[in-house]
Amino acid sequence: MLTVTTINVNGLRAAAKKGFVEWLAATPADFVCLQEVRATADDLPAELAAPPGWHTVHADSTILKGRNGVAIYARQEPTSVRVGHGVPEFEASGRYVEAWFPGLVVGSVYLPSGDVGTLRQEQKERFMATFLPYLTELREKAAASGCEVVVCGDWNIAHQEIDLKAWKANRKNAGFTPGERAWMGQVFTEYRDVQRMLEPEGPGPYTWWSYRGKAFDNDSGWRIDYQVATPGLASRAVSVTVERAASYDERWSDHAPVTAVYDWTA
């Protein structure tokens, strides 16, 4: 069996003080994809930059220190690593990293959050416009090498109405605009939304809840953290679990880990 987890840690050093270290010690995952690390590998303590028993790859944000940042923790050493998806604007922004293993490619992505009507939304749309053809290229390259692909992360887009509690109020807001939703639909023409393959009806399960108000207590969240896999791997998924904290006080991030188990070996 293959177990993969994705989690936006909302600052790895902060998460480590709240329970991430204990969670990592207990997880059965073979791969853990992190987003919003918010520190370079050099700035992290050794037990976070390269925890014992894990091989780690980092894509740091060197443009905006203390922002973004993605990483992959793996039980085995990768055969190759790539930082970024080949677009100069985003190469040093800590948005994407991938690692290749025998029979499998694992990617960790953190899409810009955006803000409708601002430059932040334009940046998000530029990322989307360049990342989609890269995903096609990756799928084809992996297939030629006999590999399946899973790209995990915080995609900052809720695809369908069942993917967020307050969908009516957010139809014109970043993360749920018609254009963003259509873009996710394009992603899912070549890849599969692993959670929805197993749980097509919804609503939820949500993966992010604002720290403001009673969003977590009321389960007023968004499903924006996805495992996006090639059809061959996605078809072997046997479970996907959103590891929602038992209470508000037990959270170590505003996101919850999303863990998928696949009946698959390289």
Side-chain angles (χ1 to χ4, degrees):
M1 306 296 279
L2 170 72
T3 303
V4 182
T5 295
T6 184
I7 172 62
N8 179 317
V9 293
N10 193 27
L12 184 54
R13 287 174 292 191
K17 296 175 182 177
K18 300 175 184 177
F20 170 80
V21 173
E22 292 78 8
W23 175 87
L24 185 66
T27 183
D30 300 292
F31 302 95
V32 176
C33 298
L34 308 180
Q35 302 87 42
E36 256 196 294
V37 174
R38 293 188 181 176
T40 66
D42 291 339
D43 290 336
L44 291 169
E47 63 270 20
L48 296 178
W54 297 89
H55 298 273
T56 61
V57 294
H58 293 261
D60 302 326
S61 173
T62 56
I63 297 176
L64 294 172
K65 292 281 188 168
R67 299 285 299 277
N68 307 338
V70 292
I72 299 171
Y73 291 177
R75 301 284 187 182
Q76 59 181 294
E77 186 173 4
T79 57
S80 64
V81 171
R82 173 169 181 157
V83 172
H85 64 288
V87 178
E89 177 182 2
F90 300 109
E91 289 305 272
S93 64
R95 293 286 181 187
Y96 180 70
V97 65
E98 74 185 33
W100 287 64
F101 304 89
L104 183 68
V105 185
V106 179
S108 182
V109 65
Y110 177 48
L111 264 71
S113 57
D115 186 6
V116 171
T118 71
L119 294 176
R120 292 178 60 199
Q121 189 69 15
E122 294 177 11
Q123 180 195 56
K124 183 176 188 176
E125 291 170 359
R126 289 194 300 274
F127 187 95
M128 291 159 56
T130 54
F131 195 58
L132 185 63
Y134 178 75
L135 288 173
T136 298
E137 174 189 325
L138 175 61
R139 180 183 59 78
E140 293 173 350
K141 181 180 177 182
S145 300
C147 292
E148 299 288 350
V149 180
V150 59
V151 179
C152 300
D154 178 357
W155 295 70
N156 264 314
I157 299 170
H159 181 216
Q160 304 177 73
E161 294 173 359
I162 57 175
D163 292 323
L164 70 164
K165 186 75 168 282
W167 65 268
K168 290 182 180 179
N170 282 285
R171 285 176 289 187
K172 296 182 180 180
N173 291 337
F176 198 58
T177 64
E180 290 169 313
R181 295 174 62 193
W183 183 84
M184 285 302 303
Q186 288 182 282
V187 172
F188 296 140
T189 61
E190 297 186 34
Y191 291 77
R192 299 292 180 266
D193 179 347
V194 178
Q195 181 102 49
R196 282 288 170 248
M197 286 190 67
L198 296 179
E199 300 181 56
E201 299 301 323
Y206 307 125
T207 65
W208 174 81
W209 304 263
S210 172
Y211 277 130
R212 293 179 293 181
K214 296 286 187 179
F216 183 80
D217 294 336
N218 296 332
D219 200 23
S220 183
W222 295 55
R223 190 178 77 94
I224 54 177
D225 302 271
Y226 299 88
Q227 295 206 21
V228 175
T230 44
L233 179 61
S235 66
R236 305 300 293 273
V238 296
S239 68
V240 181
T241 304
V242 176
E243 299 181 37
R244 189 181 191 274
S247 69
Y248 183 96
D249 293 339
E250 296 175 70
R251 306 170 74 190
W252 42 265
S253 172
D254 51 352
H255 294 250
V258 179
T259 299
V261 177
Y262 302 88
D263 184 7
W264 184 90
T265 56

